[in-house]
Structures are given as structure tokens and as C-alpha cells.
Amino acid sequence: MIRIGGMTPVTSIDFPDRLAAVLFLQGCPWRCGYCHNPALLPARGGEAIAWTQVEAFLRRRRGLLDGVVFSGGEPTLQPALPQAAARVRALGFEAALHTGGMYPARLAALLPLLDWVGLDVKAPASRYDAITGVRGSAARVGTSLRQVLDSGIAYECRTTWHPGLYPEDELQRLADGLAAQGVRHWALQECRSASLPATGWALRDPAALGARFERFVVRRA
Ligand code: SF4
């Protein structure tokens, strides 16, 4: 059913306030230059973890883990994701999703089966296509963001940024725009890539950026 390219048995950082396992789902339609999981981008990878293995693992971890995070790649690429999320819940775990938001219709169908969503908002709309390598990507993410906010589900919006991608002024306008749309939880993550300078990541005024949100975190790589 679902194609799983990797798994982290336990993490405390990928699902806020929860101990969780992370499943890395195979396949992503975008080609961000800074992607850290290139082996997961093809729809079918070399190694795969069978769903039966995942269920057997989860049965052994009852009482030890709180939840399961579907990450990637892009998990919503796979039509079997809703069934997998439902199975995770049926086994007594919470279900979380990391997504780039490129399939809003699939995300809308999935939201009732989730307990938390981490949604990437990579850039201002004018920069999106250059980062993802796909035309029209910003509009899809905008629809997904609206759906997540309207659903009432617990969430975090995340922006992976480096001044080599676009300037801080644009980042600040992105933060303004997110806050105006009702985003209350935002994480700014340092982008590390061989194509970007290893030094020079700095914010002129992180307090001003964070003041727009109820919860704001900066994650250095
Ligand atoms: S959306 Fe995520 S998984 Fe897909 S190419 Fe971009 S960084 Fe990689």
C-alpha cells in the first residue's frame, strides 16, 4: 500500500510535546535545491519498509510512544496515506503530518484524521516557483494554509530560509502576511545547503519577527 523509504523509531522534536516515530514516505513532485532527502524524491525508491513491519513495531511501542509523524518526501503524494493515518489512530497513537502543502484537496480529506500538522511555507509567492522548480506552487500552498487554519487542528507553519534564497526584508513581509492570515505558530529554520554560503545566517531583528506570533521559534541548523 504505502511506500515508506525510511523510519526514525523515536524522536522528541518532530511532533511537539510528543514522543513519536517518524515515517519518511517516498516521493515528492518538487525539486527544492536545498532538499536534504534526495533519495526520497523518486516515487519509488530502492529500499522500502513494509506497512506490516510498521504495525508490528507500533504494537511493541504501545505505552512508550505517543504518536507517528508522516514525513517525506511529500506524504500527501500517496493515495494510501489516509488509510495509514487511520490505522495509526486505530492502534492508539496520534497522527501527525509534515507537508509542503502541494496537494490541497488531499490535505483537506486528511485533516480529520490528524492531530497535528507542520506546514512548510517556503517563501513569498513571488519566490516559490524558483525554489520548488514547479510553476504555480505558491497558490497550492496558500489554499493548504487556509484549510489548516480553518480546520482548528494544532499546527506549525515553517519557513526554511537563508539570505542567499531571498533577502530578510522579504522574509519580514512574509511574516507580516502570515500573521495577517491568522497564523499564530511559526518556526523559522536555518537553511543549510552546499549551494548556499555556510556562514552569514543572521537576523537583524528576530524579536520584531517573533512579535507577530503567539509562538515563534528559530531553529539553527
Ligand atoms: S518539498 Fe521537501 S521533500 Fe520535496 S524537494 Fe522540497 S525540500 Fe525536498
Side-chain angles (χ1 to χ4, degrees):
M1 59 185 259
I2 201 158
R3 298 183 306 280
I4 303 165
M7 180 170 115
T8 297
V10 61
T11 169
S12 61
I13 58 173
D14 290 287
F15 188 170
D17 306 320
R18 303 287 190 277
L19 280 181
V22 184
L23 303 178
F24 295 95
L25 271 56
Q26 190 72 42
C28 179
W30 287 352
R31 292 295 179 267
C32 309
Y34 54 70
C35 185
H36 283 184
N37 292 324
L40 289 171
L41 299 187
R44 295 186 186 280
E47 295 292 318
I49 299 170
W51 181 255
T52 50
Q53 274 179 262
V54 173
E55 287 211 9
F57 167 80
L58 290 176
R59 286 196 179 90
R60 294 195 300 272
R61 290 298 184 279
R62 280 187 173 127
L64 301 172
L65 290 178
D66 303 304
V68 174
V69 181
F70 293 94
S71 188
E74 173 50 46
T76 59
L77 179 71
Q78 299 203 36
L81 181 58
Q83 293 98 307
R87 282 297 300 156
V88 161
R89 280 183 153 182
L91 288 165
F93 298 91
E94 292 183 306
L97 174 72
H98 292 173
T99 180
M102 65 279 276
Y103 295 113
R106 293 181 185 183
L107 179 61
L110 190 62
L111 284 172
L113 299 167
L114 298 174
D115 299 285
W116 183 85
V117 175
L119 174 66
D120 288 343
V121 180
K122 294 177 181 292
S126 63
R127 298 280 184 178
Y128 238 94
D129 293 359
I131 288 175
T132 64
V134 174
R135 291 174 69 177
S137 42
R140 289 168 169 262
V141 178
T143 302
S144 291
L145 174 60
R146 191 71 262 149
Q147 289 173 169
V148 169
L149 295 176
D150 290 347
S151 73
I153 192 171
Y155 71 93
E156 177 183 88
C157 288
R158 303 114 157 242
T159 300
T160 301
W161 175 79
H162 187 285
L165 293 171
Y166 52 90
E168 187 175 342
D169 288 351
E170 292 188 32
L171 179 68
Q172 292 180 343
R173 285 198 290 278
L174 173 64
D176 285 339
L178 292 175
Q181 289 177 79
V183 172
R184 296 289 171 261
H185 308 282
W186 187 46
L188 179 62
Q189 305 179 147
E190 179 181 1
C191 184
R192 277 280 179 98
S193 165
S195 62
L196 294 166
T199 58
W201 200 98
L203 292 165
R204 282 195 308 270
D205 195 351
L209 272 178
R212 298 163 168 89
F213 303 96
E214 275 175 32
R215 182 170 174 273
F216 172 64
V217 292
V218 176
R219 298 190 182 116
R220 299 298 306 269

